[in-house]
Amino acid sequence: MHSVSEPTLLLNETICQANIERMAHKAATRGLQFKPHMKTHQSAVIGQWLRSYGVTAVTVSSVSMASYFARHDWEDITIAFPCNLRETERINALAEKISLTLLVNRMETADTLQQQLSHQVDVYIELDTGAGRTGLQPSQTSYIIRLINCFKQADKLNWKGFYSHPGHSYTARSEAEIQSIHQTVLTQINRLRSKLGTSHGPFEVCIGDTPCASKGTEFNGIDAISPGNFVFYDLMQVQIGSCAVSDIATAVCCPVVDRYPNRNQLAIYGGAIHFSKEPLSEDDEVHFGLAATKQGHAWNPIDDHTHLTRLSQEHGIVQCSPRSFEQFSVGDTITILPVHSCLTAHLLGRFVSTGGTTIHQAQLKDRI
Amino acid sequence: MHSVSEPTLLLNETICQANIERMAHKAATRGLQFKPHMKTHQSAVIGQWLRSYGVTAVTVSSVSMASYFARHDWEDITIAFPCNLRETERINALAEKISLTLLVNRMETADTLQQQLSHQVDVYIELDTGAGRTGLQPSQTSYIIRLINCFKQADKLNWKGFYSHPGHSYTARSEAEIQSIHQTVLTQINRLRSKLGTSHGPFEVCIGDTPCASKGTEFNGIDAISPGNFVFYDLMQVQIGSCAVSDIATAVCCPVVDRYPNRNQLAIYGGAIHFSKEPLSEDDEVHFGLAATKQGHAWNPIDDHTHLTRLSQEHGIVQCSPRSFEQFSVGDTITILPVHSCLTAHLLGRFVSTGGTTIHQAQLKDRI
């Protein structure tokens, strides 16, 4: 911490490796292919850690991210985002080099890809199993069958199965609620499996959220999982019930720049451009992070009340308890557990690992 | 728009130049020094536009940003952020080259700077005129006088006056409310001026928010203004009452990747990592942007209801009206006016101007 002069993303390598090992082990024991989502860390180095647990296929959320990981020797990449027809040139270039899987949810998209691609891609149909964001309803069987038939007539599109991100698991507030949502996802998928039967040939199903991947106990009808956030976890995942605070692998170390004794507040260098403005509502309070200190190998909250409560572009305000306020002087640093590690990691663009090495993300360079 | 394949920040150069000209003219006619805040655009090119209106001194919010603009030949820079004692080395290096002004609100900070700097800096005391974020209360006269005396004994610290960012003007919802807040700021500052009298020598006062700078009519007791957001404005400033929608100079052009006719929603490539998660509450609705089209030289909302209502990392969901929904097909682009242009510009890192040229920000490089 001595060298920290700007908001700095710390990475606890021990916890991160333990999170990866636990998920890889879970996938293996349940016979699931493990295709982790790379959007959380966006880092070739952490990709290597995943590889050491036997991972050979990964998931990303943009063509740019696919290109980055392809440059780092990943040869089986799923872009878990409705296919963007304005990037067909880059998609084609990728499909020439690697085994690329796209999400194609519409006949028009299939037609355009068939016309514009010169290399074959694999395709998943995305299912909306309750998140209400993107994908077809599993009950839209007739459209799904038409789409499958359309793929079968298109030599550039090899239909592989279904993908779903059950993002509504983020509304859960306990392990039991996660499991209940997970069961409704499985029910919908297996109902669709029954309706399709065997007449369309074998296909696979991949689901992708961290809560269900972390706490789901059975995966009947599922072939692959693609969670992303689990590598780091965060306060949101603790609130959902996916993990314990001691599983959080990243924290942001920030300089303390001013103190306000009459309101027990610290001003820190660490704002919206470092943490993101993702809020967490807890106990009628909204905050953007929780102050913690390293104890043993994990970060422990210094108490339950010392929250990052306000963010401007570069300013952060930490509301302390009277006791925690006394622990910090101007010129010190304070370590904050993030609400949403994916966004915070994206913003900060690099990690300082517990071993002291700096790990860069993607093409992210020095930012001001 | 034909070449847009990823979320792209468009810059309407005509509007931006008009915003700059209006503010420069206002400052000149009121005898105010114009020291614009560069945090909104973070761009040397837009810095040049400001220079062409006679600007010679600028304001930034970090040492990194000061370094960037110093490299682009700005020789008078104020870092409008409570001095970060963990960056004294970089501060010293800057102070060697340019006229640097810091905010110093505490005796301990003054002492440390005096010990650690080898080059003189100018200092402002920051005043909290109602924002409740950082700075001393204008009523803390005795502490302020002690601090001024401390500066006078420190040869590395040249006391220059006071700085305030009246960020509580962001709670205004009309021009009248902005003016009322502006008056309370002037009252506090002039009360402090009276108490200090002439015994501490001449000093200056700089205030920095876009709403008051845009709509304040008189600036009695103020010597300089440092608004930042005004170069672009945004939906938040429209809601506050600082500007009209036709004054907004940036918008984000995003590919449409999927359509949901049963709920009149479009899925777009444009998420939290492009727009930021800064929400705007309007008419009991929370959203992250408003769809618009170019009409004449400005963007006009396509209607009052077509909002970006949901953001994940890369996904955006646009809630359309039945009529606006029919205007967009998969493969089209949609243009969204941002809620908070400072954060959106920071995230996107570069602009495509109406002239077709790409303008980069700071050291920001290609991001995935």
Side-chain angles (χ1 to χ4, degrees):
Chain A
M1 304 310 85
H2 296 304
S3 63
V4 166
S5 62
E6 297 178 295
T8 301
L9 189 63
L10 308 178
L11 174 63
N12 188 316
E13 190 174 329
T14 310
I15 298 178
C16 182
Q17 294 265 12
N19 292 342
I20 292 171
E21 182 172 18
R22 196 181 320 114
M23 195 63 82
H25 178 75
K26 181 169 188 173
T29 54
R30 280 157 180 85
L32 299 165
Q33 190 185 6
F34 183 31
K35 304 205 283 187
H37 206 307
M38 311 298 254
K39 78 183 177 70
T40 304
H41 57 82
Q42 298 180 41
S43 154
V45 171
I46 297 178
Q48 280 301 117
W49 300 355
L50 287 158
R51 230 191 273 268
S52 74
Y53 291 95
V55 172
T56 57
V58 297
T59 306
V60 299
S61 45
S62 67
V63 178
S64 295
M65 219 184 283
S67 303
Y68 168 77
F69 285 106
R71 285 197 301 278
H72 287 89
D73 304 325
W74 289 93
E75 294 178 349
D76 185 341
I77 302 179
T78 298
I79 303 176
F81 192 88
C83 179
N84 176 13
L85 290 176
R86 301 180 78 92
E87 292 184 291
T88 48
E89 231 172 275
R90 297 177 75 194
I91 288 169
N92 202 41
L94 272 171
E96 188 180 356
K97 291 182 210 146
I98 65 163
S99 167
L100 188 68
T101 306
L102 306 177
L103 305 194
V104 179
N105 307 334
R106 309 176 58 76
M107 223 75 86
E108 305 94 292
T109 304
D111 288 346
T112 307
L113 286 174
Q114 171 64 17
Q115 283 162 35
Q116 297 189 356
L117 295 185
S118 47
H119 301 277
Q120 198 188 49
V121 294
D122 291 332
V123 293
Y124 279 140
I125 296 171
E126 185 183 11
L127 296 177
D128 176 4
T129 51
R133 187 177 69 179
T134 46
L136 298 170
Q137 304 290 319
S139 58
Q140 291 179 267
T141 327
S142 63
Y143 190 84
I144 288 169
I145 291 172
R146 281 172 56 208
L147 200 48
I148 294 170
N149 289 333
C150 168
F151 295 146
K152 290 198 171 154
Q153 285 159 25
D155 66 333
K156 299 298 185 303
L157 307 175
N158 174 46
W159 180 59
K160 204 170 154 187
F162 297 94
Y163 184 89
S164 186
H165 174 72
H168 54 311
S169 63
Y170 280 61
T171 62
R173 290 294 175 269
S174 68
E175 201 171 319
E177 280 180 43
I178 295 171
Q179 282 170 357
S180 155
I181 289 168
H182 181 60
Q183 278 308 320
T184 67
V185 172
L186 297 191
T187 303
Q188 291 172 77
I189 284 168
N190 288 312
R191 197 173 292 146
L192 177 63
R193 275 196 179 276
S194 304
K195 283 194 188 156
L196 293 179
T198 54
S199 50
H200 305 280
F203 60 86
E204 64 177 52
V205 177
C206 178
I207 59 171
D209 65 313
T210 281
C212 291
S214 300
K215 296 300 177 185
T217 48
E218 65 100 3
F219 290 80
N220 178 33
I222 306 300
D223 304 281
I225 56 170
S226 63
N229 180 282
F230 76 97
V231 292
F232 298 155
Y233 288 118
D234 51 35
L235 294 177
M236 196 186 284
Q237 294 294 338
V238 173
Q239 185 185 54
I240 291 166
S242 309
C243 68
V245 173
S246 56
D247 297 321
I248 299 177
T250 59
V252 186
C253 185
C254 297
V256 175
V257 295
D258 220 338
R259 291 176 93 242
Y260 297 91
N262 62 330
R263 52 186 208 249
N264 289 322
Q265 288 182 343
L266 304 171
I268 66 170
Y269 180 17
I273 62 166
H274 310 107
F275 286 93
S276 94
K277 290 205 81 165
E278 183 88 73
L280 196 72
S281 297
E282 278 187 310
D283 306 328
D284 298 326
E285 200 192 0
V286 173
H287 68 82
F288 304 97
L290 177 65
T293 50
K294 196 90 184 290
Q295 287 180 356
H297 89 288
W299 284 290
N300 280 344
I302 56 178
D303 59 31
D304 294 340
H305 314 289
T306 302
H307 284 133
L308 180 59
T309 50
R310 190 170 164 183
L311 293 173
S312 330
Q313 186 164 330
E314 276 94 357
H315 294 73
I317 296 293
V318 177
Q319 179 64 58
C320 297
S321 58
R323 179 182 283 193
S324 66
F325 182 73
E326 293 309 321
Q327 297 176 32
F328 296 97
S329 303
V330 168
D332 288 352
T333 58
I334 185 168
T335 300
I336 308 279
L337 297 173
V339 167
H340 190 167
S341 60
C342 307
L343 297 185
T344 304
H346 177 83
L347 284 166
L348 288 166
R350 68 182 85 84
F351 312 96
V352 175
S353 81
T354 29
T357 53
T358 298
I359 298 172
H360 287 267
Q361 288 184 291
Q363 302 97 317
L364 301 169
K365 307 285 164 51
D366 292 337
R367 300 179 189 167
I368 68 167
Chain B
M1 303 312 85
H2 295 303
S3 63
V4 165
S5 62
E6 296 178 296
T8 302
L9 189 61
L10 308 178
L11 174 62
N12 188 318
E13 190 174 329
T14 310
I15 298 179
C16 183
Q17 295 265 11
N19 292 341
I20 292 171
E21 183 172 17
R22 196 182 318 114
M23 195 62 84
H25 178 75
K26 181 170 190 173
T29 55
R30 280 159 179 84
L32 298 165
Q33 189 185 7
F34 182 32
K35 305 206 283 188
H37 207 307
M38 312 297 254
K39 77 183 178 70
T40 304
H41 57 81
Q42 299 180 39
S43 154
V45 172
I46 297 178
Q48 280 302 117
W49 300 355
L50 287 159
R51 232 193 271 268
S52 74
Y53 290 95
V55 172
T56 57
V58 297
T59 306
V60 299
S61 45
S62 67
V63 177
S64 295
M65 220 185 280
S67 303
Y68 169 75
F69 284 106
R71 285 198 300 279
H72 287 89
D73 305 325
W74 289 94
E75 294 177 349
D76 185 343
I77 302 179
T78 298
I79 303 176
F81 192 88
C83 179
N84 176 13
L85 290 177
R86 302 180 77 92
E87 291 184 292
T88 48
E89 231 172 275
R90 296 177 75 193
I91 287 170
N92 202 39
L94 272 171
E96 187 180 356
K97 290 183 210 146
I98 64 163
S99 167
L100 187 68
T101 305
L102 306 178
L103 304 194
V104 179
N105 307 334
R106 309 176 57 78
M107 223 76 83
E108 306 92 293
T109 304
D111 290 344
T112 307
L113 286 174
Q114 171 64 16
Q115 284 162 33
Q116 297 189 356
L117 295 185
S118 47
H119 300 278
Q120 198 188 49
V121 294
D122 291 332
V123 293
Y124 279 142
I125 296 171
E126 185 183 12
L127 297 176
D128 176 3
T129 51
R133 187 177 69 178
T134 46
L136 298 170
Q137 303 291 318
S139 58
Q140 292 180 265
T141 326
S142 62
Y143 190 83
I144 288 170
I145 291 172
R146 282 172 56 206
L147 201 48
I148 293 170
N149 289 333
C150 167
F151 293 147
K152 289 195 172 158
Q153 286 159 24
D155 65 334
K156 298 301 184 302
L157 307 175
N158 175 45
W159 180 59
K160 203 170 155 188
F162 297 95
Y163 183 89
S164 186
H165 174 72
H168 54 311
S169 63
Y170 279 61
T171 62
R173 290 295 175 269
S174 68
E175 203 173 317
E177 281 181 41
I178 295 170
Q179 283 169 358
S180 156
I181 289 168
H182 181 58
Q183 279 308 321
T184 67
V185 172
L186 297 191
T187 303
Q188 292 173 77
I189 284 168
N190 287 312
R191 198 173 291 147
L192 178 63
R193 274 195 180 277
S194 304
K195 284 196 188 155
L196 294 179
T198 55
S199 51
H200 305 281
F203 61 84
E204 64 176 52
V205 177
C206 178
I207 58 172
D209 65 312
T210 281
C212 292
S214 300
K215 295 301 178 185
T217 49
E218 65 100 3
F219 290 81
N220 178 35
I222 306 300
D223 304 282
I225 56 170
S226 64
N229 179 282
F230 76 96
V231 292
F232 297 155
Y233 288 118
D234 51 34
L235 293 176
M236 195 186 284
Q237 295 293 340
V238 173
Q239 186 185 54
I240 291 166
S242 310
C243 67
V245 173
S246 56
D247 297 321
I248 299 178
T250 59
V252 187
C253 185
C254 297
V256 175
V257 296
D258 219 338
R259 291 176 93 244
Y260 297 92
N262 60 330
R263 53 186 208 248
N264 288 321
Q265 287 181 343
L266 304 172
I268 66 169
Y269 180 16
I273 62 166
H274 309 105
F275 285 93
S276 93
K277 290 205 81 165
E278 184 88 74
L280 197 72
S281 297
E282 278 187 311
D283 307 329
D284 299 326
E285 200 193 0
V286 173
H287 68 81
F288 303 97
L290 176 65
T293 50
K294 196 91 184 288
Q295 286 180 357
H297 88 287
W299 284 291
N300 281 342
I302 56 179
D303 58 31
D304 294 339
H305 315 290
T306 302
H307 285 133
L308 180 59
T309 51
R310 189 169 164 183
L311 294 173
S312 332
Q313 185 162 332
E314 275 93 358
H315 294 74
I317 297 293
V318 176
Q319 179 63 58
C320 297
S321 59
R323 179 182 282 191
S324 66
F325 182 73
E326 293 310 321
Q327 297 176 32
F328 296 96
S329 302
V330 168
D332 288 351
T333 58
I334 185 168
T335 301
I336 308 279
L337 297 173
V339 167
H340 189 167
S341 60
C342 307
L343 297 185
T344 304
H346 177 84
L347 284 166
L348 289 165
R350 68 181 84 85
F351 313 95
V352 176
S353 81
T354 30
T357 54
T358 298
I359 299 172
H360 287 267
Q361 287 184 292
Q363 303 96 316
L364 301 169
K365 307 285 165 51
D366 291 337
R367 300 179 190 167
I368 68 166

